[in-house]
Amino acid sequence: MKRIANFALILFSISASAQEDFAKYKWRNRIVVLSTQDLTSEKFISHWERVKSSPKKLDDRNILLFALAKGRIYDKELKALSGFHVSPLRKRYDIPTRFEGFTLIGKDGGVKMQKNTPFDVTVIFETIDNMPMRQREMRENLDD
């Protein structure tokens, strides 16, 4: 019986780690994932730098920026992160393997927008600013 319990515990821990995605940021952050086949491509670097060039806009909207390339997740400094399993993440957020563009994930954990490159970076901020939750955040910040 103890052997079965241990086996079940092992299966559960493997399953839980394989499910690692952006759920830990739910209700705290919005996520922007820029997907590319090549982190060194001019097209990717151009979009990446344009999104990063607005740190105040990112902070005001509680946006965390990630890159997805070659089966890995990278932080805003393009350092590979461990603990993320890309296949379940792609499935959960409907990000195709060869997708080149961005995916916007709302604070509720749902995909709010997905656009291929090239794209205008302002569309990310405008989309967020039109969301009811963001509208409420802006009203509350005016009262501070």
Side-chain angles (χ1 to χ4, degrees), residues 68-115:
L68 174 57
K70 299 192 187 255
R72 309 262 339 241
I73 293 288
Y74 299 84
D75 67 12
K76 69 178 183 178
E77 303 306 323
L78 293 179
K79 296 203 184 328
L81 299 174
S82 61
F84 284 89
H85 298 276
V86 173
S87 185
L89 187 137
R90 284 187 185 280
K91 185 176 181 179
R92 170 161 179 161
Y93 301 109
D94 196 25
I95 304 172
T97 304
R98 309 243 356 124
F99 178 67
E100 299 261 341
F102 79 87
T103 303
L104 171 61
I105 302 165
K107 285 187 173 183
D108 65 355
V111 173
K112 303 303 178 188
M113 175 182 268
Q114 198 170 61
K115 281 234 186 244

Side-chain angles (χ1 to χ4, degrees), residues 29-46:
N29 296 100
R30 295 174 181 92
I31 307 291
V32 173
V33 180
L34 267 68
S35 302
T36 185
Q37 299 303 304
D38 181 6
L39 289 173
T40 62
S41 78
E42 190 175 310
K43 182 170 58 171
F44 170 77
I45 291 170
S46 172

Side-chain angles (χ1 to χ4, degrees), residues 20-67:
E20 182 67 59
D21 57 21
F22 299 122
K24 63 185 170 188
Y25 303 114
K26 192 172 183 178
W27 302 117
R28 292 183 301 154
N29 296 100
R30 295 174 181 92
I31 307 291
V32 173
V33 180
L34 267 68
S35 302
T36 185
Q37 299 303 304
D38 181 6
L39 289 173
T40 62
S41 78
E42 190 175 310
K43 182 170 58 171
F44 170 77
I45 291 170
S46 172
H47 282 88
W48 185 258
E49 291 303 321
R50 278 188 268 157
V51 174
K52 277 185 59 174
S53 71
S54 302
K56 181 156 177 36
K57 289 181 180 183
L58 294 171
D59 288 344
D60 287 349
R61 292 162 181 81
N62 306 116
I63 298 172
L64 297 178
L65 184 59
F66 295 93

